[in-house]
Amino acid sequence: QTLEQRARALTSPHSASWLLSQWLEQCNNPEVVAAVQLPTSSSSSSAHGSGRFSWELSFHQVLLRSSAFETVLESCTRGALRIALEEPSQGERPTLDEALRSLAERLLLPGALALWPSLLEALLLGDLGGGPLPWASWARRLVGSLKKPWQVEAWPDQVRKMDNRIADLVPSGAALDESAEPSSSGPCLIV
């Protein structure tokens, strides 16, 4: 199942809290990695042949890249999940509320959490507010635009892996110390 399918299938506050807690735990675990084939630009695809580039993404990056968080929020606007978030007497609200907030803290841009309570309220209110504006669809799009870009989260790991690959390609005897004279026969690599 995809992350979105799992999020769409949520019906009880307990299962929603459990799934969000699992996702948060996996986000905090750098060992959880998925290999993802991403398309390259059209100019580089002809040079490389396949037109695809392989990235190793952490679960956190995969979750940012997906629309699973937005789908969870949409699921929270229906049935028992909505009731659990609207009525504190249900006993599940702190757990589901805390799980949603914790995941929002991990996925949203810094500063976006100041909007979180209002966004959640707009999502729960939905388009039932009686006004002419579609608050629920606006809030869903806003949440999607406030997520951290997965590419920015992926760059440090990708650069480190590329640097290691380049270092593996350089022969160990090719480096010269700073006191050595460069050879006139070709380029000199000083590390």
Side-chain angles (χ1 to χ4, degrees), residues 80-187:
L81 297 177
R82 180 187 196 124
I83 292 169
L85 288 169
E86 288 178 335
E87 298 177 10
S89 63
Q90 292 292 318
E92 296 287 343
R93 181 181 172 112
T95 306
L96 184 54
D97 247 359
E98 289 171 10
L100 276 172
R101 182 165 178 81
S102 295
L103 201 56
E105 287 173 355
R106 193 75 165 101
L107 299 178
L108 300 182
L109 290 167
L113 285 176
L115 299 173
W116 176 248
S118 300
L119 284 173
L120 186 58
E121 183 180 341
L123 283 165
L124 293 176
L125 179 64
D127 297 331
L128 304 174
L133 298 174
W135 291 113
S137 60
W138 170 83
R140 278 191 295 274
R141 280 189 298 242
L142 187 56
V143 167
S145 67
L146 291 175
K147 284 188 349 185
K148 296 175 186 175
W150 71 268
Q151 299 94 329
V152 172
E153 297 290 314
W155 277 116
D157 289 336
Q158 294 302 322
V159 169
R160 185 173 51 262
K161 288 174 187 170
M162 210 176 311
D163 193 38
N164 288 339
R165 287 181 189 153
I166 291 170
D168 290 343
L169 293 174
V170 176
S172 60
L176 297 175
D177 66 336
E178 292 182 19
S179 63
E181 300 263 342
S183 164
S184 59
S185 63

Side-chain angles (χ1 to χ4, degrees), residues 12-81:
S12 78
H14 178 72
S15 65
S17 298
W18 181 84
L19 180 65
L20 297 177
S21 297
Q22 289 297 309
W23 285 357
L24 189 60
E25 188 176 307
Q26 290 176 330
C27 280
N28 293 329
N29 182 359
E31 299 300 318
V32 179
V33 175
V36 178
Q37 293 289 321
L38 300 174
T40 59
S41 65
S42 59
S43 62
S44 63
S45 65
S46 59
H48 292 64
S50 70
R52 301 194 72 69
F53 182 72
S54 179
W55 285 57
E56 287 185 358
L57 301 180
S58 68
F59 180 83
H60 179 229
Q61 294 155 350
V62 170
L63 189 58
L64 283 170
R65 189 170 177 261
S66 75
S67 61
F69 184 61
E70 294 92 319
T71 306
V72 165
L73 293 175
E74 191 172 320
S75 293
C76 286
T77 64
R78 295 187 300 269
L81 297 177

